Amino acid sequence: FLLHRRLIFAHRMFFEALGGDVPFYELGATGGSSPTIGFGGDRFLRGYDSNRFIDRFKLVFGIELRWDPLFFQFAKQDLTLSFVPFFDLGRVWPSMLPIQLDRWHASMGWGMRLIWNSRFVIRTDFAITPEGTNLILNLGNSF
């Protein structure tokens, strides 16, 4: 959602259910046609170790406030420096019934983006979880 010319509220909700006799090593595959590793790492529940949470049912909520206050040109290239506070909340569980509402996992933090010509994004995030902290460097936004 565009809140201001240089301020965006970004969010996502992801739910996935795996049925049948799923091999253990496939429980971490998340995301259908463009799968990533299970929850944790740099996309889902940032700050936890990669593939930290895996099971048949997966649910995650993520929000970011993307603020782009600094815009400049260098060598005829457009560059934007962006600041991004974020919060992720999610869980995994083995079966739909009985419904369980415990064991939620949360991470929060802030990041910076260097955006080159509105297309190429270099992302750094500093994430805090109950299990510790993590510094992430990657290309592209997390979602």
Side-chain angles (χ1 to χ4, degrees):
F1 296 105
L2 185 64
L3 302 175
H4 184 269
R5 184 171 59 94
R6 295 208 174 269
L7 186 63
I8 296 171
F9 176 75
H11 68 91
R12 73 169 164 190
M13 182 185 88
F14 177 84
F15 174 75
E16 184 172 73
L18 300 175
D21 191 18
V22 180
F24 176 77
Y25 56 85
E26 288 294 332
L27 287 175
T30 300
S33 63
S34 179
T36 64
I37 301 300
F39 287 0
D42 71 321
R43 299 272 180 205
F44 298 102
L45 296 174
R46 289 168 273 192
Y48 287 98
D49 290 338
S50 294
N51 217 17
R52 172 70 173 84
F53 305 106
I54 62 171
D55 219 324
R56 291 181 179 276
F57 293 88
K58 304 166 186 144
L59 176 65
V60 71
F61 303 94
I63 59 172
E64 292 183 349
L65 193 58
R66 298 175 181 170
W67 179 43
D68 303 334
L70 302 173
F71 174 83
F72 55 96
Q73 288 190 329
F74 179 75
K76 297 184 181 180
Q77 303 295 308
D78 294 330
L79 298 170
T80 303
L81 187 62
S82 179
F83 301 98
V84 182
F86 63 85
F87 178 74
D88 297 329
L89 179 69
R91 70 178 301 250
V92 298
W93 65 101
S95 62
M96 204 58 174
L97 296 173
I99 296 175
Q100 302 168 356
L101 298 177
D102 60 344
R103 296 191 199 170
W104 287 89
H105 309 286
S107 68
M108 62 180 287
W110 56 93
M112 288 179 48
R113 313 287 187 264
L114 179 62
I115 305 167
W116 180 11
N117 287 334
S118 301
R119 300 274 188 262
F120 186 73
V121 178
I122 300 172
R123 172 171 56 105
T124 61
D125 287 328
F126 178 74
I128 303 167
T129 72
E131 296 180 1
T133 60
N134 202 347
L135 183 63
I136 299 161
L137 177 64
N138 210 334
L139 299 177
N141 284 309
S142 62
F143 60 93

